[in-house]
Short mmCIF file of all heavy atoms in Angstrom, two decimals:
data_model
loop_
_atom_site.label_atom_id
_atom_site.label_comp_id
_atom_site.label_asym_id
_atom_site.label_seq_id
_atom_site.Cartn_x
_atom_site.Cartn_y
_atom_site.Cartn_z
N VAL A 189 -3.10 3.17 6.99
CA VAL A 189 -3.73 4.39 6.49
C VAL A 189 -4.31 4.12 5.11
O VAL A 189 -3.61 3.59 4.23
CB VAL A 189 -2.72 5.56 6.42
CG1 VAL A 189 -3.39 6.82 5.86
CG2 VAL A 189 -2.13 5.84 7.79
N TRP A 190 -5.58 4.50 4.91
CA TRP A 190 -6.23 4.30 3.62
C TRP A 190 -6.03 5.51 2.72
O TRP A 190 -6.13 6.66 3.17
CB TRP A 190 -7.73 4.06 3.80
CG TRP A 190 -8.05 2.67 4.23
CD1 TRP A 190 -8.29 2.23 5.51
CD2 TRP A 190 -8.16 1.52 3.40
NE1 TRP A 190 -8.54 0.88 5.51
CE2 TRP A 190 -8.47 0.41 4.23
CE3 TRP A 190 -8.03 1.30 2.02
CZ2 TRP A 190 -8.65 -0.87 3.72
CZ3 TRP A 190 -8.21 0.03 1.52
CH2 TRP A 190 -8.51 -1.04 2.37
N TYR A 191 -5.76 5.25 1.44
CA TYR A 191 -5.60 6.30 0.45
C TYR A 191 -6.50 6.01 -0.75
O TYR A 191 -6.67 4.85 -1.14
CB TYR A 191 -4.15 6.37 -0.05
CG TYR A 191 -3.15 6.76 1.00
CD1 TYR A 191 -2.52 5.80 1.78
CD2 TYR A 191 -2.81 8.10 1.20
CE1 TYR A 191 -1.59 6.16 2.74
CE2 TYR A 191 -1.88 8.46 2.16
CZ TYR A 191 -1.27 7.49 2.94
OH TYR A 191 -0.35 7.84 3.88
N LEU A 192 -7.06 7.07 -1.32
CA LEU A 192 -7.74 6.99 -2.61
C LEU A 192 -6.74 7.39 -3.68
O LEU A 192 -6.14 8.47 -3.61
CB LEU A 192 -8.94 7.93 -2.65
CG LEU A 192 -9.66 8.03 -4.01
CD1 LEU A 192 -10.41 6.74 -4.33
CD2 LEU A 192 -10.61 9.22 -4.03
N VAL A 193 -6.53 6.51 -4.65
CA VAL A 193 -5.64 6.80 -5.79
C VAL A 193 -6.52 7.20 -6.96
O VAL A 193 -7.42 6.43 -7.35
CB VAL A 193 -4.78 5.57 -6.14
CG1 VAL A 193 -3.96 5.83 -7.39
CG2 VAL A 193 -3.89 5.19 -4.96
N ALA A 194 -6.30 8.37 -7.51
CA ALA A 194 -7.19 8.88 -8.55
C ALA A 194 -6.43 9.81 -9.48
O ALA A 194 -5.33 10.28 -9.17
CB ALA A 194 -8.37 9.62 -7.92
N ASP A 195 -7.03 10.08 -10.63
CA ASP A 195 -6.54 11.13 -11.53
C ASP A 195 -7.37 12.39 -11.31
O ASP A 195 -8.59 12.32 -11.11
CB ASP A 195 -6.69 10.71 -13.00
CG ASP A 195 -5.51 9.88 -13.49
OD1 ASP A 195 -4.54 9.72 -12.73
OD2 ASP A 195 -5.59 9.38 -14.63
N ARG A 196 -6.70 13.53 -11.34
CA ARG A 196 -7.41 14.81 -11.38
C ARG A 196 -6.88 15.57 -12.58
O ARG A 196 -5.69 15.86 -12.67
CB ARG A 196 -7.19 15.62 -10.10
CG ARG A 196 -7.89 16.98 -10.17
CD ARG A 196 -7.78 17.74 -8.86
NE ARG A 196 -8.48 19.01 -8.96
CZ ARG A 196 -7.89 20.19 -9.17
NH1 ARG A 196 -6.57 20.25 -9.27
NH2 ARG A 196 -8.61 21.29 -9.28
N ARG A 197 -7.78 15.81 -13.54
CA ARG A 197 -7.40 16.45 -14.80
C ARG A 197 -6.27 15.68 -15.48
O ARG A 197 -5.34 16.26 -16.04
CB ARG A 197 -6.99 17.90 -14.56
CG ARG A 197 -8.13 18.76 -14.01
CD ARG A 197 -7.67 20.17 -13.73
NE ARG A 197 -8.78 20.99 -13.25
CZ ARG A 197 -8.64 22.24 -12.80
NH1 ARG A 197 -7.43 22.80 -12.78
NH2 ARG A 197 -9.69 22.92 -12.38
N GLY A 198 -6.36 14.33 -15.41
CA GLY A 198 -5.42 13.48 -16.12
C GLY A 198 -4.10 13.27 -15.41
O GLY A 198 -3.22 12.58 -15.95
N GLN A 199 -3.93 13.84 -14.20
CA GLN A 199 -2.68 13.69 -13.45
C GLN A 199 -2.92 12.86 -12.19
O GLN A 199 -3.94 13.01 -11.53
CB GLN A 199 -2.12 15.06 -13.07
CG GLN A 199 -1.73 15.93 -14.26
CD GLN A 199 -0.66 15.27 -15.11
OE1 GLN A 199 0.35 14.77 -14.59
NE2 GLN A 199 -0.87 15.27 -16.42
N PRO A 200 -1.97 11.96 -11.84
CA PRO A 200 -2.17 11.10 -10.67
C PRO A 200 -2.14 11.90 -9.37
O PRO A 200 -1.29 12.77 -9.18
CB PRO A 200 -1.00 10.12 -10.76
CG PRO A 200 0.06 10.85 -11.52
CD PRO A 200 -0.68 11.71 -12.50
N ARG A 201 -3.08 11.58 -8.48
CA ARG A 201 -3.15 12.26 -7.19
C ARG A 201 -3.42 11.23 -6.10
O ARG A 201 -4.04 10.19 -6.33
CB ARG A 201 -4.27 13.30 -7.18
CG ARG A 201 -4.04 14.47 -8.12
CD ARG A 201 -2.97 15.42 -7.59
NE ARG A 201 -3.36 15.98 -6.31
CZ ARG A 201 -4.07 17.10 -6.17
NH1 ARG A 201 -4.48 17.76 -7.24
NH2 ARG A 201 -4.36 17.56 -4.97
N LEU A 202 -3.00 11.57 -4.89
CA LEU A 202 -3.16 10.71 -3.72
C LEU A 202 -3.97 11.48 -2.68
O LEU A 202 -3.63 12.61 -2.33
CB LEU A 202 -1.79 10.34 -3.16
CG LEU A 202 -1.68 9.16 -2.21
CD1 LEU A 202 -2.17 7.87 -2.87
CD2 LEU A 202 -0.24 8.99 -1.76
N PHE A 203 -5.05 10.85 -2.18
CA PHE A 203 -5.91 11.49 -1.18
C PHE A 203 -6.02 10.59 0.04
O PHE A 203 -6.46 9.43 -0.08
CB PHE A 203 -7.31 11.75 -1.75
CG PHE A 203 -7.33 12.66 -2.96
CD1 PHE A 203 -7.25 12.13 -4.24
CD2 PHE A 203 -7.41 14.02 -2.80
CE1 PHE A 203 -7.25 12.96 -5.35
CE2 PHE A 203 -7.42 14.87 -3.91
CZ PHE A 203 -7.35 14.32 -5.19
N ARG A 204 -5.63 11.10 1.21
CA ARG A 204 -5.81 10.32 2.45
C ARG A 204 -7.29 10.26 2.77
O ARG A 204 -7.98 11.28 2.83
CB ARG A 204 -5.06 10.98 3.61
CG ARG A 204 -3.61 10.62 3.70
CD ARG A 204 -2.97 11.23 4.93
NE ARG A 204 -3.56 10.75 6.16
CZ ARG A 204 -2.85 10.39 7.23
NH1 ARG A 204 -1.53 10.45 7.20
NH2 ARG A 204 -3.46 9.99 8.33
N ALA A 205 -7.79 9.05 3.01
CA ALA A 205 -9.23 8.88 3.25
C ALA A 205 -9.68 9.61 4.51
O ALA A 205 -10.81 10.09 4.58
CB ALA A 205 -9.57 7.40 3.34
N ASP A 206 -8.80 9.73 5.52
CA ASP A 206 -9.22 10.39 6.76
C ASP A 206 -9.25 11.91 6.63
O ASP A 206 -9.61 12.61 7.57
CB ASP A 206 -8.34 9.95 7.94
CG ASP A 206 -6.87 10.23 7.72
OD1 ASP A 206 -6.51 10.78 6.65
OD2 ASP A 206 -6.06 9.91 8.61
N ARG A 207 -8.84 12.45 5.47
CA ARG A 207 -8.95 13.89 5.24
C ARG A 207 -10.09 14.23 4.29
O ARG A 207 -10.28 15.40 3.95
CB ARG A 207 -7.63 14.43 4.68
CG ARG A 207 -6.50 14.42 5.68
CD ARG A 207 -5.24 15.01 5.10
NE ARG A 207 -4.15 14.98 6.07
CZ ARG A 207 -2.88 15.23 5.76
NH1 ARG A 207 -2.56 15.53 4.51
NH2 ARG A 207 -1.94 15.18 6.68
N VAL A 208 -10.81 13.20 3.85
CA VAL A 208 -11.97 13.44 2.99
C VAL A 208 -13.14 13.88 3.88
O VAL A 208 -13.58 13.15 4.76
CB VAL A 208 -12.35 12.16 2.22
CG1 VAL A 208 -13.66 12.36 1.46
CG2 VAL A 208 -11.24 11.79 1.24
N ARG A 209 -13.60 15.09 3.67
CA ARG A 209 -14.70 15.63 4.48
C ARG A 209 -16.06 15.36 3.85
O ARG A 209 -17.08 15.35 4.53
CB ARG A 209 -14.50 17.13 4.70
CG ARG A 209 -13.26 17.46 5.53
CD ARG A 209 -13.42 16.89 6.93
NE ARG A 209 -12.22 17.10 7.75
CZ ARG A 209 -11.29 16.21 7.94
NH1 ARG A 209 -11.40 15.01 7.35
NH2 ARG A 209 -10.24 16.45 8.69
N SER A 210 -16.09 15.17 2.54
CA SER A 210 -17.34 14.82 1.86
C SER A 210 -16.98 14.09 0.58
O SER A 210 -15.93 14.34 -0.02
CB SER A 210 -18.18 16.06 1.56
OG SER A 210 -17.51 16.92 0.66
N ALA A 211 -17.85 13.19 0.17
CA ALA A 211 -17.63 12.43 -1.07
C ALA A 211 -18.98 12.20 -1.73
O ALA A 211 -19.89 11.65 -1.10
CB ALA A 211 -16.94 11.11 -0.79
N THR A 212 -19.10 12.63 -2.97
CA THR A 212 -20.35 12.50 -3.72
C THR A 212 -20.11 11.71 -4.99
O THR A 212 -19.23 12.06 -5.79
CB THR A 212 -20.93 13.89 -4.08
OG1 THR A 212 -21.08 14.65 -2.88
CG2 THR A 212 -22.27 13.74 -4.77
N LEU A 213 -20.88 10.65 -5.17
CA LEU A 213 -20.78 9.83 -6.36
C LEU A 213 -21.50 10.55 -7.50
O LEU A 213 -22.67 10.91 -7.38
CB LEU A 213 -21.43 8.47 -6.10
CG LEU A 213 -21.13 7.32 -7.05
CD1 LEU A 213 -19.66 6.97 -7.01
CD2 LEU A 213 -21.98 6.11 -6.69
N LEU A 214 -20.80 10.79 -8.60
CA LEU A 214 -21.37 11.50 -9.74
C LEU A 214 -21.92 10.53 -10.76
O LEU A 214 -21.58 9.34 -10.77
CB LEU A 214 -20.31 12.40 -10.38
CG LEU A 214 -19.66 13.44 -9.46
CD1 LEU A 214 -18.61 14.25 -10.23
CD2 LEU A 214 -20.71 14.36 -8.85
#
Side-chain angles (χ1 to χ4, degrees):
V189 178
W190 281 98
Y191 296 90
L192 174 71
V193 175
D195 275 354
R196 178 175 181 259
R197 297 177 178 173
Q199 297 300 312
R201 294 286 299 272
L202 197 60
F203 299 91
R204 276 184 62 137
D206 58 1
R207 290 182 181 169
V208 173
R209 295 296 176 262
S210 64
T212 304
L213 196 64
L214 302 179

